[in-house]
Amino acid sequence: MSLAHLLLRHAQQTPERAAIFNGTTLHASHGQWAARSAALAQRMQAAGLVPGDRVVLFMRNHPRYLEVLWAAWWAGLVVVPVNAKLHAREVEWIIDNAQATWAFVTRDVAPERLAGLAQQIDVEAPHADALLAPLPDTAALAPVDRQPEDLAWLFYTSGTTGRPKGVMLTHRNLMTMGLTYFVDVDTVSPTDAIVYGAPMSHGAGIYSIPHLMAGARHVVPASGGVDPAELFELGLALGPLSTFAAPTIVKRLVDHAEETGLSPNDAALSFKTIVYGGAPMYGADIARALQVMGPRFVQIYGQGETPMVGTALSRTHLTDVAHPRYRERMASVGVAQTPVQLRVSDARGVELPVGDIGEVLIKGDSVMAGYWRNPDATASAIRDGWLFTGDVGCLDADGFLTLKDRSKDLIISGGSNIYPREVEEVLLTAAGVTEVAVVGAPDPEWGEVVVAFVVAQPGAGVTTHSLDQHCLERIARFKRPKRYVLVDSLPKNNYGKVLKTELRAQLAGPQKASTA
Ligand code: AMP
């Protein structure tokens, strides 16, 4: 059994049914989708790719994303989804680490050839049409059989060590995630549709699995991204849509509804369900969202290591205003999703009593097989079958989890994770820079923004502009500091460790450090 069988099944049962839309234009029926994916799988096999080989997807959201994804699974390959905002050098590092030989790209994202590849295919070039065109014997090509523990998705997550780690997700992990959607998130029928606004390389993309399971339609906005007006219009044209959105995107949708004077009933014509997660949603924001757009929200909490499956705060929880603990529940991330056990523990993994704050641990069939070729990191993340998430929170007596903080130093800006260490390492390579500390500062639009405190050699000519240029050439734009603060020294404790709490307090306090 492989994820490819999900597509085969619908291609056999409902080959004519509309499956993938490019904006409002039909891109493929189930039958066409399966035929193209199988044809590409056949050509990849003919070119020498064997089950377990890695192929990179470095693309903006595009209807071909789904065809390539299922082609890879049809051939028993492992997909390495890469955030379209990454710098070419970061992608080349991933290609090398994953030992991937093929990459599928969109030209806007990868205008040049990436190093280390045998094949780089621009999915929008005419050549790609030929690769996806069925051959006379394509219909007879069955998906390569896979075991539940075989890898399907090798997802690179930025690590505290500064280099991303490959999260190994298996067919079982993703099947579990898909089936769980129907129990803990939403029902899906064949007349429903999912729209991909958030990047398909992340959670939004793997929600294609439950929607394919249910035979629903898949809609990729023509813009390939998040334009609230476009999303509302697509919903009106194709029927109410479901989508996954980070809190920043939810905010933009709500702003749009409010600015254009839409009522909750109007919003219901465009959206069936908006699943949000990936970063904290503030109580006031979800209250406003419910008021403006009506009861169409579900919150999930998870992480790359247990994708989309951790806890859920259901539509019922979010609308049960009469419940005596409604306020507390709104501020929580909900209860454990069906296939997982969840506990809050101390640093040794010992379960803490209700109400105590500790690290969140998750166990179940959604939890990754480990980090790619990194047994040390795997051993510290998974102990006795429990995933140590690095998130800190507490459980109440009803099983609702409230997140307090992250034990990692992670910054979440606009739903994207940024690890300070990664940015610090880049800044430290700039001429004249001696010390750097990167922290997140609260921001009403982005949730958090990246701020870099920099100590430079006197007279070295280090400026905000030179630092920004340095980052532009080396890391993804979204990871660049939005602000630089040039300081004479960094606050440190007795062991010489930089006191980031003090820096954060400086940013929050009344007398802000002067910006260069
Ligand atoms: P990622 O691995 O990119 O999916 O990021 C996962 C991290 O995002 C988690 O470990 C949490 O710190 C954070 N996160 C995910 N979902 C939520 C949520 N619903 N509320 C608050 N933080 C969240």
Side-chain angles (χ1 to χ4, degrees), residues 276-294:
Y276 66 91
M281 169 70 95
Y282 299 103
D285 289 338
I286 186 60
R288 186 170 76 104
L290 288 163
Q291 195 187 9
V292 173
M293 291 184 64

Side-chain angles (χ1 to χ4, degrees), residues 80-83 86-99 154-168 202 304-305 368 370-375 377-378 408 410 417-423 425-426 474-476 478-479:
V80 184
V82 175
N83 182 341
L86 288 196
H87 194 281
R89 284 195 198 169
E90 295 171 305
V91 184
E92 286 167 353
W93 187 90
I94 290 174
I95 289 169
D96 182 52
N97 188 264
Q99 293 179 307
L154 182 60
F155 166 77
Y156 277 78
T157 179
S158 296
T160 39
T161 51
R163 282 298 192 186
K165 295 192 287 269
V167 173
M168 298 192 289
H202 219 84
E305 288 82 348
M368 66 166 178
Y371 293 113
W372 176 252
R373 295 184 179 165
N374 198 338
T378 303
K408 302 170 197 160
L410 187 69
N417 289 358
I418 301 158
Y419 283 82
R421 173 83 180 264
E422 210 181 342
V423 184
E425 282 181 4
V426 167
R474 287 164 181 84
I475 45 170
F478 71 92
K479 295 181 191 167

Side-chain angles (χ1 to χ4, degrees), residues 202 277-280 299-304 333 391 403 406 412 417:
H202 219 84
Q299 177 175 205
I300 60 111
Y301 153 70
Q303 58 178 200
V333 291
D391 290 310
L403 294 179
R406 290 182 294 272
I412 304 183
N417 289 358

Side-chain angles (χ1 to χ4, degrees), residues 201-266:
S201 55
H202 219 84
I206 56 171
Y207 266 175
S208 57
I209 293 168
H211 287 83
L212 178 58
M213 283 174 167
R217 293 163 299 154
H218 305 254
V219 183
V220 183
S223 68
V226 180
D227 172 350
E230 181 186 23
L231 295 180
F232 272 91
E233 295 233 330
L234 274 176
L236 289 181
L238 296 172
L241 304 166
S242 294
T243 197
F244 174 75
T248 2
I249 299 179
V250 171
K251 219 164 162 200
R252 286 176 58 198
L253 294 174
V254 173
D255 286 346
H256 177 84
E258 211 170 46
E259 283 157 16
T260 52
L262 298 181
S263 69
N265 284 342
D266 297 330

Side-chain angles (χ1 to χ4, degrees), residues 138 204 274 278 400:
T138 297
I274 298 174
F400 285 74

Side-chain angles (χ1 to χ4, degrees), residues 59-213:
M59 298 164 60
R60 71 165 193 279
N61 286 2
H62 192 283
R64 283 263 152 95
Y65 209 104
L66 296 168
E67 292 168 342
V68 175
L69 189 53
W70 261 272
W73 288 335
W74 206 284
L77 305 172
V78 180
V79 172
V80 184
V82 175
N83 182 341
K85 288 189 256 170
L86 288 196
H87 194 281
R89 284 195 198 169
E90 295 171 305
V91 184
E92 286 167 353
W93 187 90
I94 290 174
I95 289 169
D96 182 52
N97 188 264
Q99 293 179 307
T101 50
W102 281 44
F104 293 88
V105 305
T106 49
R107 198 173 306 149
D108 53 327
V109 168
E112 277 153 33
R113 274 203 75 79
L114 298 159
L117 292 170
Q119 281 280 359
Q120 176 168 326
I121 295 149
D122 173 358
V123 299
E124 292 167 305
H127 175 57
D129 289 340
L131 286 176
L132 279 97
L135 296 159
D137 53 351
T138 297
L141 183 76
V144 168
D145 207 17
R146 297 272 77 193
Q147 297 302 314
E149 58 276 13
D150 284 332
L151 294 192
W153 182 261
L154 182 60
F155 166 77
Y156 277 78
T157 179
S158 296
T160 39
T161 51
R163 282 298 192 186
K165 295 192 287 269
V167 173
M168 298 192 289
L169 296 174
T170 63
H171 285 264
R172 178 189 278 123
N173 293 150
L174 294 182
M175 287 281 186
T176 301
M177 181 276 309
L179 293 170
T180 303
Y181 189 93
F182 308 122
V183 193
D184 294 307
V185 181
D186 204 10
T187 54
V188 186
S189 79
T191 53
D192 286 335
I194 176 170
V195 66
Y196 301 102
M200 294 174 83
S201 55
H202 219 84
I206 56 171
Y207 266 175
S208 57
I209 293 168
H211 287 83
L212 178 58
M213 283 174 167

